[in-house]
Short mmCIF file of all heavy atoms in Angstrom, two decimals:
data_model
loop_
_atom_site.label_atom_id
_atom_site.label_comp_id
_atom_site.label_asym_id
_atom_site.label_seq_id
_atom_site.Cartn_x
_atom_site.Cartn_y
_atom_site.Cartn_z
N PRO A 24 0.80 -1.23 0.00
CA PRO A 24 0.00 0.00 0.00
C PRO A 24 0.83 1.27 0.00
O PRO A 24 0.47 2.26 -0.65
CB PRO A 24 -0.84 -0.13 1.28
CG PRO A 24 -0.90 -1.61 1.55
CD PRO A 24 0.42 -2.14 1.10
N GLU A 25 1.96 1.28 0.73
CA GLU A 25 2.78 2.49 0.81
C GLU A 25 3.37 2.85 -0.55
O GLU A 25 3.36 4.02 -0.95
CB GLU A 25 3.89 2.28 1.84
CG GLU A 25 4.61 3.57 2.22
CD GLU A 25 5.58 3.36 3.35
OE1 GLU A 25 5.89 2.19 3.66
OE2 GLU A 25 6.03 4.36 3.93
N ALA A 26 3.88 1.85 -1.28
CA ALA A 26 4.44 2.12 -2.60
C ALA A 26 3.35 2.58 -3.56
O ALA A 26 3.57 3.49 -4.38
CB ALA A 26 5.13 0.87 -3.15
N ALA A 27 2.17 1.98 -3.48
CA ALA A 27 1.06 2.38 -4.36
C ALA A 27 0.65 3.81 -4.07
O ALA A 27 0.39 4.60 -5.00
CB ALA A 27 -0.12 1.44 -4.17
N GLU A 28 0.61 4.19 -2.79
CA GLU A 28 0.21 5.55 -2.43
C GLU A 28 1.21 6.59 -2.92
O GLU A 28 0.84 7.63 -3.46
CB GLU A 28 0.06 5.66 -0.91
CG GLU A 28 -0.41 7.03 -0.44
CD GLU A 28 -0.52 7.11 1.06
OE1 GLU A 28 -0.39 6.05 1.72
OE2 GLU A 28 -0.72 8.22 1.58
N ILE A 29 2.53 6.29 -2.77
CA ILE A 29 3.54 7.25 -3.20
C ILE A 29 3.56 7.36 -4.72
O ILE A 29 3.76 8.45 -5.28
CB ILE A 29 4.92 6.82 -2.66
CG1 ILE A 29 4.92 6.88 -1.13
CG2 ILE A 29 6.03 7.69 -3.22
CD1 ILE A 29 6.19 6.40 -0.50
N ALA A 30 3.35 6.23 -5.44
CA ALA A 30 3.28 6.29 -6.90
C ALA A 30 2.12 7.15 -7.35
O ALA A 30 2.24 7.96 -8.29
CB ALA A 30 3.16 4.87 -7.46
N MET A 31 0.96 7.03 -6.67
CA MET A 31 -0.19 7.87 -7.00
C MET A 31 0.10 9.34 -6.71
O MET A 31 -0.27 10.23 -7.47
CB MET A 31 -1.41 7.40 -6.21
CG MET A 31 -2.04 6.14 -6.73
SD MET A 31 -2.83 6.44 -8.33
CE MET A 31 -3.46 4.80 -8.70
N ARG A 32 0.81 9.58 -5.60
CA ARG A 32 1.13 10.96 -5.24
C ARG A 32 2.08 11.57 -6.26
O ARG A 32 1.95 12.75 -6.63
CB ARG A 32 1.77 10.99 -3.85
CG ARG A 32 1.95 12.38 -3.26
CD ARG A 32 2.58 12.30 -1.90
NE ARG A 32 1.85 11.39 -1.01
CZ ARG A 32 2.33 10.92 0.12
NH1 ARG A 32 3.56 11.24 0.51
NH2 ARG A 32 1.61 10.11 0.87
N ALA A 33 3.04 10.78 -6.75
CA ALA A 33 3.97 11.28 -7.78
C ALA A 33 3.23 11.58 -9.07
O ALA A 33 3.49 12.60 -9.74
CB ALA A 33 5.08 10.26 -8.02
N ALA A 34 2.28 10.72 -9.43
CA ALA A 34 1.50 10.95 -10.65
C ALA A 34 0.63 12.21 -10.53
O ALA A 34 0.49 12.97 -11.49
CB ALA A 34 0.64 9.73 -10.95
N SER A 35 0.08 12.43 -9.34
CA SER A 35 -0.78 13.60 -9.15
C SER A 35 0.01 14.90 -9.11
O SER A 35 -0.56 15.99 -9.28
CB SER A 35 -1.59 13.46 -7.86
OG SER A 35 -0.74 13.42 -6.73
N SER A 36 1.35 14.81 -8.89
CA SER A 36 2.18 16.02 -8.83
C SER A 36 2.75 16.39 -10.19
O SER A 36 3.60 17.29 -10.28
CB SER A 36 3.33 15.83 -7.82
OG SER A 36 4.21 14.81 -8.27
N GLY A 37 2.33 15.71 -11.24
CA GLY A 37 2.78 16.07 -12.58
C GLY A 37 3.87 15.18 -13.14
O GLY A 37 4.32 15.42 -14.27
N LYS A 38 4.32 14.17 -12.37
CA LYS A 38 5.32 13.25 -12.89
C LYS A 38 4.63 12.20 -13.76
O LYS A 38 3.46 11.88 -13.58
CB LYS A 38 6.07 12.55 -11.75
CG LYS A 38 6.54 13.48 -10.65
CD LYS A 38 7.53 14.51 -11.13
CE LYS A 38 8.01 15.41 -9.99
NZ LYS A 38 8.88 16.51 -10.45
N TYR A 39 5.41 11.68 -14.70
CA TYR A 39 4.89 10.59 -15.52
C TYR A 39 5.43 9.29 -14.93
O TYR A 39 6.64 9.04 -14.95
CB TYR A 39 5.33 10.76 -16.97
CG TYR A 39 4.39 10.12 -17.97
CD1 TYR A 39 3.16 9.62 -17.59
CD2 TYR A 39 4.73 10.04 -19.32
CE1 TYR A 39 2.30 9.06 -18.50
CE2 TYR A 39 3.88 9.48 -20.24
CZ TYR A 39 2.66 8.99 -19.82
OH TYR A 39 1.80 8.42 -20.72
N VAL A 40 4.54 8.47 -14.38
CA VAL A 40 4.94 7.29 -13.61
C VAL A 40 4.58 6.03 -14.39
O VAL A 40 3.45 5.88 -14.87
CB VAL A 40 4.24 7.27 -12.23
CG1 VAL A 40 4.70 6.07 -11.42
CG2 VAL A 40 4.52 8.57 -11.48
N PHE A 41 5.56 5.12 -14.50
CA PHE A 41 5.35 3.83 -15.14
C PHE A 41 5.63 2.73 -14.12
O PHE A 41 6.57 2.84 -13.32
CB PHE A 41 6.29 3.65 -16.34
CG PHE A 41 5.99 4.56 -17.49
CD1 PHE A 41 6.42 5.88 -17.47
CD2 PHE A 41 5.28 4.11 -18.59
CE1 PHE A 41 6.15 6.73 -18.53
CE2 PHE A 41 5.00 4.95 -19.64
CZ PHE A 41 5.43 6.26 -19.62
N THR A 42 4.83 1.68 -14.15
CA THR A 42 5.02 0.59 -13.20
C THR A 42 4.42 -0.69 -13.76
O THR A 42 3.77 -0.67 -14.83
CB THR A 42 4.40 0.93 -11.84
OG1 THR A 42 4.78 -0.09 -10.88
CG2 THR A 42 2.88 0.97 -11.92
N THR A 43 4.65 -1.79 -13.06
CA THR A 43 4.06 -3.09 -13.42
C THR A 43 3.28 -3.63 -12.25
O THR A 43 3.53 -3.27 -11.09
CB THR A 43 5.14 -4.11 -13.84
OG1 THR A 43 6.02 -4.35 -12.72
CG2 THR A 43 5.96 -3.59 -15.01
N PHE A 44 2.34 -4.52 -12.55
CA PHE A 44 1.48 -5.10 -11.52
C PHE A 44 1.14 -6.53 -11.95
O PHE A 44 0.77 -6.76 -13.10
CB PHE A 44 0.19 -4.28 -11.39
CG PHE A 44 -0.33 -4.18 -9.99
CD1 PHE A 44 -0.80 -2.97 -9.49
CD2 PHE A 44 -0.38 -5.30 -9.17
CE1 PHE A 44 -1.28 -2.86 -8.21
CE2 PHE A 44 -0.86 -5.20 -7.88
CZ PHE A 44 -1.31 -3.99 -7.39
N HIS A 45 1.28 -7.47 -11.05
CA HIS A 45 0.97 -8.87 -11.35
C HIS A 45 -0.52 -9.12 -11.11
O HIS A 45 -0.95 -9.39 -9.98
CB HIS A 45 1.81 -9.82 -10.48
CG HIS A 45 3.22 -9.98 -10.97
ND1 HIS A 45 3.59 -10.92 -11.90
CD2 HIS A 45 4.34 -9.31 -10.66
CE1 HIS A 45 4.88 -10.83 -12.14
NE2 HIS A 45 5.36 -9.85 -11.40
N THR A 46 -1.31 -9.02 -12.15
CA THR A 46 -2.73 -9.36 -12.07
C THR A 46 -3.14 -10.08 -13.35
O THR A 46 -2.38 -10.15 -14.31
CB THR A 46 -3.60 -8.10 -11.90
OG1 THR A 46 -3.36 -7.20 -12.98
CG2 THR A 46 -3.30 -7.39 -10.58
N ARG A 47 -4.36 -10.60 -13.34
CA ARG A 47 -4.82 -11.41 -14.48
C ARG A 47 -5.17 -10.54 -15.69
O ARG A 47 -4.88 -10.90 -16.81
CB ARG A 47 -6.03 -12.25 -14.08
CG ARG A 47 -5.76 -13.31 -13.03
CD ARG A 47 -6.97 -14.20 -12.86
NE ARG A 47 -8.18 -13.44 -12.52
CZ ARG A 47 -8.52 -13.11 -11.28
NH1 ARG A 47 -7.75 -13.47 -10.28
NH2 ARG A 47 -9.63 -12.43 -11.05
N ASP A 48 -5.85 -9.42 -15.45
CA ASP A 48 -6.34 -8.60 -16.54
C ASP A 48 -6.52 -7.17 -16.05
O ASP A 48 -6.18 -6.83 -14.91
CB ASP A 48 -7.65 -9.16 -17.10
CG ASP A 48 -8.65 -9.50 -16.01
OD1 ASP A 48 -8.72 -8.72 -15.02
OD2 ASP A 48 -9.34 -10.52 -16.12
N VAL A 49 -7.09 -6.31 -16.90
CA VAL A 49 -7.25 -4.89 -16.58
C VAL A 49 -8.18 -4.70 -15.39
O VAL A 49 -7.88 -3.94 -14.46
CB VAL A 49 -7.77 -4.13 -17.81
CG1 VAL A 49 -8.12 -2.69 -17.44
CG2 VAL A 49 -6.74 -4.15 -18.92
N ALA A 50 -9.32 -5.38 -15.39
CA ALA A 50 -10.27 -5.22 -14.29
C ALA A 50 -9.67 -5.66 -12.96
O ALA A 50 -9.89 -5.03 -11.92
CB ALA A 50 -11.54 -6.01 -14.60
N SER A 51 -8.90 -6.74 -12.99
CA SER A 51 -8.26 -7.22 -11.75
C SER A 51 -7.25 -6.23 -11.23
O SER A 51 -7.06 -6.11 -10.01
CB SER A 51 -7.58 -8.57 -12.01
OG SER A 51 -8.50 -9.54 -12.43
N MET A 52 -6.61 -5.47 -12.12
CA MET A 52 -5.63 -4.48 -11.67
C MET A 52 -6.30 -3.35 -10.90
O MET A 52 -5.79 -2.89 -9.87
CB MET A 52 -4.88 -3.93 -12.89
CG MET A 52 -3.60 -3.19 -12.53
SD MET A 52 -3.47 -1.65 -13.41
CE MET A 52 -4.76 -0.70 -12.65
N VAL A 53 -7.44 -2.89 -11.37
CA VAL A 53 -8.17 -1.84 -10.66
C VAL A 53 -8.60 -2.33 -9.29
O VAL A 53 -8.47 -1.63 -8.28
CB VAL A 53 -9.38 -1.38 -11.48
CG1 VAL A 53 -10.21 -0.37 -10.70
CG2 VAL A 53 -8.93 -0.78 -12.81
N THR A 54 -9.07 -3.57 -9.23
CA THR A 54 -9.47 -4.16 -7.94
C THR A 54 -8.28 -4.28 -7.01
O THR A 54 -8.39 -4.03 -5.80
CB THR A 54 -10.11 -5.54 -8.17
OG1 THR A 54 -11.22 -5.40 -9.05
CG2 THR A 54 -10.56 -6.14 -6.86
N ALA A 55 -7.10 -4.65 -7.56
CA ALA A 55 -5.91 -4.80 -6.73
C ALA A 55 -5.48 -3.46 -6.14
O ALA A 55 -5.06 -3.39 -4.97
CB ALA A 55 -4.77 -5.39 -7.56
N PHE A 56 -5.59 -2.38 -6.90
CA PHE A 56 -5.27 -1.06 -6.35
C PHE A 56 -6.23 -0.70 -5.22
O PHE A 56 -5.84 -0.11 -4.21
CB PHE A 56 -5.33 0.01 -7.45
CG PHE A 56 -4.00 0.30 -8.08
CD1 PHE A 56 -3.76 0.01 -9.42
CD2 PHE A 56 -2.99 0.88 -7.34
CE1 PHE A 56 -2.54 0.29 -9.99
CE2 PHE A 56 -1.76 1.18 -7.91
CZ PHE A 56 -1.53 0.86 -9.24
N ARG A 57 -7.50 -1.03 -5.37
CA ARG A 57 -8.46 -0.78 -4.30
C ARG A 57 -8.11 -1.59 -3.06
O ARG A 57 -8.26 -1.12 -1.92
CB ARG A 57 -9.87 -1.11 -4.77
CG ARG A 57 -10.43 -0.10 -5.78
CD ARG A 57 -11.73 -0.58 -6.36
NE ARG A 57 -12.37 0.43 -7.21
CZ ARG A 57 -13.40 0.18 -8.01
NH1 ARG A 57 -13.91 -1.05 -8.07
NH2 ARG A 57 -13.92 1.15 -8.73
#
């Protein structure tokens, strides 16, 4: 959760953030962030 929160904070401050996430599909990735 801490890494996800800081990545979101960096994105909201105008940085362009790229990352990877181990999930099955797009919908599962949104659920994993939640």
Side-chain angles (χ1 to χ4, degrees):
E25 192 173 14
E28 182 181 352
I29 296 176
M31 284 291 179
R32 189 180 307 165
S35 63
S36 65
K38 314 298 181 185
Y39 206 9
V40 182
F41 293 80
T42 188
T43 62
F44 216 137
H45 281 273
T46 57
R47 295 188 303 273
D48 48 38
V49 172
S51 299
M52 196 226 69
V53 176
T54 303
F56 265 115
R57 288 172 173 168

